[in-house]
Amino acid sequence: PVEMPAEPLTNRETTVLVRMAQAMSAEDIAHDLFLSINTVKTHQRGIYRKLAVSRRNDAVRKARSLGLV
């Protein structure tokens, strides 16, 4: 059983995560959401920390198993 993260994802982190699951690059996510690339990368780091993973693929896989995307 996969546990939900102790600290829930913010709405913006969830929005970024959904786009990560669609295989969008950080640059494409930034353009799509009208954010700077650095802001997207900050959200990605928060996602990785909260899901206790270190890679994008692991984050998407775990998020899918938790029903977050």
Side-chain angles (χ1 to χ4, degrees), residues 4-69:
M4 289 298 283
E7 188 179 350
L9 297 179
T10 65
N11 288 340
R12 193 53 122 178
E13 286 170 342
T14 302
T15 303
V16 169
L17 183 57
V18 166
R19 284 162 175 74
M20 288 167 57
Q22 296 168 347
M24 290 177 72
S25 69
E27 291 83 4
D28 289 341
I29 294 170
H31 184 262
D32 196 42
L33 299 177
F34 304 101
L35 299 172
S36 76
I37 186 70
N38 286 333
T39 301
V40 172
K41 290 180 177 182
T42 298
H43 288 315
Q44 287 176 325
R45 282 194 301 273
I47 291 165
Y48 298 161
R49 179 178 52 81
K50 291 175 182 181
L51 294 180
V53 297
S54 56
R55 295 198 321 249
R56 182 186 183 116
N57 287 344
D58 294 337
V60 171
R61 192 173 304 117
K62 188 163 187 179
R64 284 190 172 129
S65 70
L66 292 169
L68 298 175
V69 294

